[in-house]
Amino acid sequence: MKLNFSVKLTNDGSIGLYNKEVDDIYHSTYGAYNEAVEKFIKPSGLESFLQTHNKIKILDICSGMGYNLKAAVDAVFRVNPECDIEIDCLEIDSYVFSFGLLYKVEKIDYDVHYFLLEKFFDNPLITKCMIELLEDDEFCQFLDEKLALFFVGNKFSEIELMGRHQNNQKIHNIYYKYMSNRNKYPPKSRLKSYQNRLRVFFDDARSTIQTLDGGYDFIFHDGFTPSKQSILWSYEFFNELKRIISSSGNITTYSSSASVRSALIQNGFHVSKISSENRKTSGTFASLSKEFSQIPLSEEETGLLKTRAGIVYHDDGMVQSHDEIIKRREEEVMNSSLSSSSSYLKSLIKKK
């Protein structure tokens, strides 16, 4: 098992991860769970939507440990437990997603965690990853024992079979640790199984998104920053989001980058900034309908869109590498007649 991440503790007590390959963190130090609530759940208006709708469709881009997923499902069961759920998760790393399913968010009831585990039980790749994580002492210490018991209790026959066929003593140890007499009867989810569908796609999000049907009410875009993962912030990628979002749907993202906002605007989205009492949670809200806009962009933010900072990323055919996309934009910036962001900001200060 080769893992590309290490565990980091965030300020709200929840676990965050550092991706070694991308050289970036999955969540801000402000707090992984708080970030999900403040940057995605609240600004999206999801809870208000649930008060008047009995069906919801969500796309969670770069799910990571599933904080946005957990916060969204938690909101559903708090506000409208009769609501039918349809959620598609896009995540490249199956270990990160599996780690998240076995990690307990303190502010969310166990029932929500049990529900999510049940929904992904039939995914053999997730089962494989969970078993390997439970074997690993370095990561096992961060996993919740009740969730591990719930998982093992429902999958014990597979785990025992794997142990016999692979002669893997550690898998046997997992089985006996969590299925001892003390824990003979694993906890069961108290949630009903509604007409819902939860899926996760472990692939390049660009490939998957082209296969998805439309009608998403909410799209959470939580990818690494454009400088680290430009492939998910291109004009072409947002064009796909325009295709699959509902006419009244919205996109929320933590990014306030001028290039990201420009790409959204060029695709016909109305862009505003996220309303929040905490300035650390600045971000972007986008919808195809202006009536759903939130706080208008400031003069400074609007002006930056017309500088070199607002030059968008392009990904022809949605198959180019990060380096190719970055190189193209750097060339466009270098050859542009637009003013630099720094000179614009200096002129704005002088004007004021």
Side-chain angles (χ1 to χ4, degrees):
M1 177 177 65
K2 182 182 178 182
L3 302 180
N4 291 321
F5 60 87
S6 56
V7 176
K8 301 290 183 182
L9 188 67
T10 65
N11 292 344
D12 65 357
S14 56
I15 292 293
L17 299 177
Y18 169 75
N19 187 296
K20 303 171 186 176
E21 184 177 351
V22 180
D23 188 27
D24 203 356
I25 56 175
Y26 280 88
H27 310 94
S28 70
T29 55
Y30 158 66
Y33 176 71
N34 286 339
E35 185 177 40
V37 173
E38 296 294 332
K39 293 185 180 180
F40 295 94
I41 304 304
K42 286 185 178 179
S44 69
L46 185 146
E47 293 191 1
S48 297
F49 180 90
L50 289 168
Q51 293 174 3
T52 56
H53 294 76
N54 289 320
K55 186 175 182 180
I56 188 169
K57 189 173 183 179
I58 300 172
L59 177 63
D60 187 19
I61 302 172
C62 296
S63 293
M65 286 178 61
Y67 280 106
N68 298 335
L69 169 66
K70 293 174 183 178
V73 173
D74 178 61
V76 170
F77 287 111
R78 281 188 293 101
V79 179
N80 184 2
E82 299 298 322
C83 184
D84 293 338
I85 310 169
E86 187 172 347
I87 305 178
D88 287 329
C89 303
L90 310 185
E91 172 55 45
I92 195 71
D93 194 326
S94 56
Y95 286 105
V96 170
F97 190 83
S98 302
F99 181 89
L101 288 175
L102 288 172
Y103 172 73
K104 171 73 167 69
V105 178
E106 292 301 322
K107 297 179 181 180
I108 296 179
D109 290 341
Y110 270 107
D111 275 354
V112 172
H113 292 82
Y114 295 151
F115 171 79
L116 290 173
L117 274 170
E118 283 181 325
K119 290 302 172 184
F120 293 107
F121 268 158
D122 294 333
N123 188 309
L125 181 55
I126 290 179
T127 296
K128 173 182 175 293
C129 291
M130 285 184 177
I131 290 173
E132 292 182 11
L133 287 166
L134 288 169
E135 291 178 331
D136 194 305
D137 292 338
E138 179 183 355
F139 293 97
C140 189
Q141 62 180 309
F142 299 104
L143 305 180
D144 186 86
E145 185 169 345
K146 287 185 179 179
L147 297 181
L149 172 61
F150 183 72
F151 166 69
V152 175
N154 283 274
K155 305 292 287 184
F156 73 93
S157 59
E158 289 184 31
I159 295 172
E160 188 178 38
L161 184 64
M162 288 178 67
R164 288 203 304 270
H165 282 264
Q166 298 178 7
N167 194 26
N168 189 327
Q169 186 59 45
K170 287 187 176 181
I171 292 180
H172 279 296
N173 292 341
I174 292 171
Y175 173 78
Y176 288 113
K177 175 181 178 180
Y178 293 105
M179 294 301 293
S180 64
N181 290 332
R182 177 172 59 88
N183 292 320
K184 187 174 180 180
Y185 301 104
K188 294 183 178 179
S189 171
R190 294 193 299 272
L191 298 175
K192 299 177 182 178
S193 181
Y194 301 103
Q195 296 297 317
N196 48 49
R197 183 184 72 179
L198 277 71
R199 302 184 298 181
V200 58
F201 300 88
F202 297 118
D203 197 1
D204 186 326
R206 296 176 297 180
S207 300
T208 301
I209 205 164
Q210 295 178 67
T211 69
L212 299 176
D213 296 327
Y216 290 98
D217 303 301
F218 301 94
I219 298 178
F220 304 145
H221 194 321
D222 202 10
F224 291 115
T225 61
S227 63
K228 300 286 186 179
Q229 197 178 47
S230 59
I231 63 173
L232 301 183
W233 303 95
S234 69
Y235 169 89
E236 291 75 14
F237 190 80
F238 286 120
N239 188 251
E240 280 297 310
L241 297 191
K242 179 182 179 181
R243 178 183 66 81
I244 62 177
I245 196 170
S246 70
S247 58
S248 59
N250 65 65
I251 300 172
T252 47
T253 177
Y254 67 87
S255 178
S256 55
S257 164
S259 62
V260 169
R261 287 174 171 172
S262 290
L264 285 162
I265 291 171
Q266 289 180 27
N267 272 294
F269 286 97
H270 296 277
V271 169
S272 53
K273 57 185 177 182
I274 286 175
S275 171
S276 175
E277 296 177 359
N278 189 327
R279 290 185 179 181
K280 292 181 181 179
T281 61
S282 63
T284 300
F285 177 96
S287 175
L288 293 174
S289 177
K290 191 174 183 179
E291 68 175 289
F292 300 112
S293 296
Q294 298 192 14
I295 299 177
L297 300 184
S298 66
E299 179 185 359
E300 177 183 315
E301 291 168 317
T302 302
L304 283 171
L305 301 178
K306 301 174 183 178
T307 69
R308 294 177 187 175
I311 294 177
V312 304
Y313 296 89
H314 279 288
D315 180 12
D316 293 337
M318 295 180 68
V319 294
Q320 293 186 298
S321 69
H322 166 73
D323 290 339
E324 289 173 330
I325 296 170
I326 292 293
K327 182 179 179 180
R328 173 176 172 175
R329 184 174 183 275
E330 287 176 346
E331 291 175 350
E332 291 183 7
V333 169
M334 187 180 302
N335 297 323
S336 174
S337 60
L338 297 173
S339 63
S340 66
S341 57
S342 57
S343 62
Y344 163 73
L345 292 173
K346 287 178 183 178
S347 65
L348 185 64
I349 293 172
K350 186 177 180 180
K351 176 184 175 182
K352 289 181 178 181

